[in-house]
Amino acid sequence: MNPEKNVIPEKVQTIHLTAICGTGMGALAGMLKEAGYQITGSDLNVYPPMSTFLESKGIPVIQGFSGDNLAHNPDLVVIGNAVSKDNPEAVAVMEKGLHYCSFPQAIDRFFASQKTPIMVTGTHGKTTTSALIAWLIAAVGLDPTFMIGGILANFNSNHQVGTGAYMVIEGDEYDTAFFDKGPKFLHYTPSRTVLTSVEFDHADIFKDLDHVKSAFTSLLKNLPRESLLVFHDADDNIKDILQQAECWITPYGFGEKAPWRIGKMRTEPPYTFLEVFRRGEFYAEFKVPLMGRHNALNCLAAIAVVDDLRIPVEGIQAGLETFKGVARRQQVRGVKNNITVMDDFAHHPTAVRETIKAVKPFYDKGRVAAVFEPRTNSSRRKVFQDVYPEVFDDADIICIPQPALLEKIPPEERFSSERLVEDLKARGKDAHFFADVQGIIDFLAKTLEPGDLALIMSNGGFENIHQRLLDAL
């Protein structure tokens, strides 16, 4: 690729998106169309719900990749993260000398640079915290623009082009494109940044924890001096790199010395009540329809940011109480015969542990059956093999399937579900291995009783296990 063409021209009217059916790329296409640009796109897998979403926006999508898809010589080609350098359209971009850019470059140029950007990043909690901030801004009538990695129930969308001054962005540490191996979050210039956590993840692109920390170090070095960094004060990995930030900083957490601190915390299902202190003085109590300490921290980070925007405390209280959550984050998919089936995106060991711990008090009249699919590039590798047995202690029943697509992982690097189950049994846990999803469904259908919760954790579709289980109960 010609790096001189990796710029967005001053005047752009026609834009083509290669790999348009990804969640982020499809949302970007919708935003660009709404902003008045002429949009086309292509992808290998064109199917609902993204195909119907794009059709509803009047965006034509071509099945398959081909240089002919660029015969109209668009002013700009946005190349998705999943596209390789030998993709026919990437080759055609180079041969034709077309201008091209990555997904975050497009977000920054067409939307963030014209707003006051607020970015949320970190290994855990990005989507929920971003969603909370977007809703708290919207709830007081400030109409934000946002691009977030999950469907916000309050908007029934993961994106919006608003008329207000602010844009909320979920900042991803994953690499940008085949022509830009730096993290996506380096393309934004936020006025406020939330850093929730720094842990090892994405084993397909990061070698180890130090490699991950180097990515976040680059972020901190690049934050504008006049901007604000809101960070979790109990994360030692953040503390290790914090000196790289030259901007204003504000810690948050449960610690007595944190300027933003959670005091008493109690659960009254379906709500959690949080007592919040600011700089040692009582700030307010908040009623939130979310579970667990990790979500309490997500709420606290959002409160610290919107307070800095001068949103009144009464508006924050009303917004938190009316927050409807994010799809696939503690999302109840259905209740059958008083058995609840919940969907959650948890896959990293920390997220799995905190999610199980969070839901337990809300379903204390029954048992929690934790169903975990090792599906991510990290969880299908053995990097966390010895860690996962320790994160299921709050579950009553544990179901682990054989990971899919293990053949794509070198044999010496593969995670073993059978070994995890044996290690869990050695800890005295009621753990079960399954060769396929149907086996899990059959087992749970005969095992679960009224009052129980089936907590299904995966970052993928998991073969529609949620609905299939509900049908079987």
Side-chain angles (χ1 to χ4, degrees), residues 108 112 116-117 185-191 222 224 226:
D108 183 62
T116 301
F185 53 44
L186 294 182
H187 289 277
Y188 308 118
T189 309
S191 66
N222 284 321
E226 68 278 8

Side-chain angles (χ1 to χ4, degrees), residues 412-442:
E412 68 277 8
E413 296 181 21
R414 290 176 189 170
F415 175 82
S416 170
S417 290
E418 295 101 317
R419 182 182 154 194
L420 171 57
V421 168
E422 290 306 313
D423 288 344
L424 287 167
K425 287 179 177 178
R427 294 175 68 90
K429 302 303 296 182
D430 183 9
H432 306 265
F433 167 77
F434 297 90
D436 54 40
V437 171
Q438 188 59 51
I440 299 176
I441 294 169
D442 293 342

Side-chain angles (χ1 to χ4, degrees), residues 153-381:
N154 290 92
F155 300 91
N156 194 31
S157 177
N158 67 342
H159 67 282
Q160 173 176 287
V161 179
T163 59
Y166 300 108
M167 178 170 188
V168 183
I169 308 168
E170 182 175 332
D172 187 0
E173 70 270 30
Y174 208 80
D175 60 8
T176 298
F178 74 82
F179 52 85
D180 178 359
K181 289 303 180 182
K184 292 185 180 72
F185 53 44
L186 294 182
H187 289 277
Y188 308 118
T189 309
S191 66
R192 285 99 176 158
T193 303
V194 175
L195 180 51
T196 63
S197 50
V198 174
E199 287 196 72
F200 178 62
D201 199 4
H202 304 304
D204 53 325
I205 62 168
F206 292 113
K207 299 190 298 290
D208 50 28
L209 176 59
D210 285 339
H211 194 188
V212 175
K213 287 163 73 172
S214 71
F216 283 96
T217 297
S218 298
L219 169 67
L220 297 190
K221 285 181 177 178
N222 284 321
L223 292 178
R225 291 177 67 93
E226 68 278 8
S227 71
L228 173 67
L229 172 65
V230 177
F231 68 95
H232 184 206
D233 73 332
D235 191 304
D236 289 336
N237 293 324
I238 294 178
K239 292 176 184 176
D240 289 344
I241 62 174
L242 190 61
Q243 66 273 16
Q244 302 298 329
E246 297 184 358
C247 60
W248 298 93
I249 61 172
T250 296
Y252 70 92
F254 287 94
E256 286 291 334
K257 295 182 180 179
W260 283 98
R261 177 173 68 86
I262 293 174
K264 293 179 181 177
M265 177 177 163
R266 71 181 193 278
T267 58
E268 294 181 14
Y271 293 100
T272 300
F273 290 82
L274 307 175
E275 189 181 63
V276 172
F277 290 81
R278 179 180 62 178
R279 292 190 287 275
E281 296 184 358
F282 178 73
Y283 181 69
E285 184 177 69
F286 297 91
K287 178 182 178 182
V288 299
L290 295 173
M291 311 175 203
R293 284 173 61 93
H294 67 299
N295 274 324
L297 289 169
N298 293 337
C299 289
L300 185 60
I303 291 167
V305 168
V306 298
D307 176 80
D308 193 60
L309 303 181
R310 303 296 185 263
I311 291 177
V313 65
E314 297 81 10
I316 302 174
Q317 288 173 314
L320 285 176
E321 187 172 347
T322 56
F323 181 65
K324 295 181 181 178
V326 182
R328 309 216 59 207
R329 272 72 178 179
Q330 298 178 354
Q331 180 186 8
V332 174
R333 294 287 295 267
V335 181
K336 185 93 167 280
N337 296 323
N338 200 28
I339 298 169
T340 304
V341 176
M342 181 180 287
D343 183 10
D344 197 274
F345 200 70
H347 48 273
H348 188 280
T350 300
V352 172
R353 182 187 66 240
E354 293 302 318
T355 300
I356 298 171
K357 187 182 296 184
V359 302
K360 184 76 170 176
F362 287 77
Y363 294 89
D364 57 356
K365 292 181 173 58
R367 299 168 297 171
V368 173
V371 183
F372 170 61
E373 181 190 29
R375 183 181 177 276
T376 66
N377 281 302
S378 297
S379 60
R380 286 184 293 129
R381 288 172 164 82

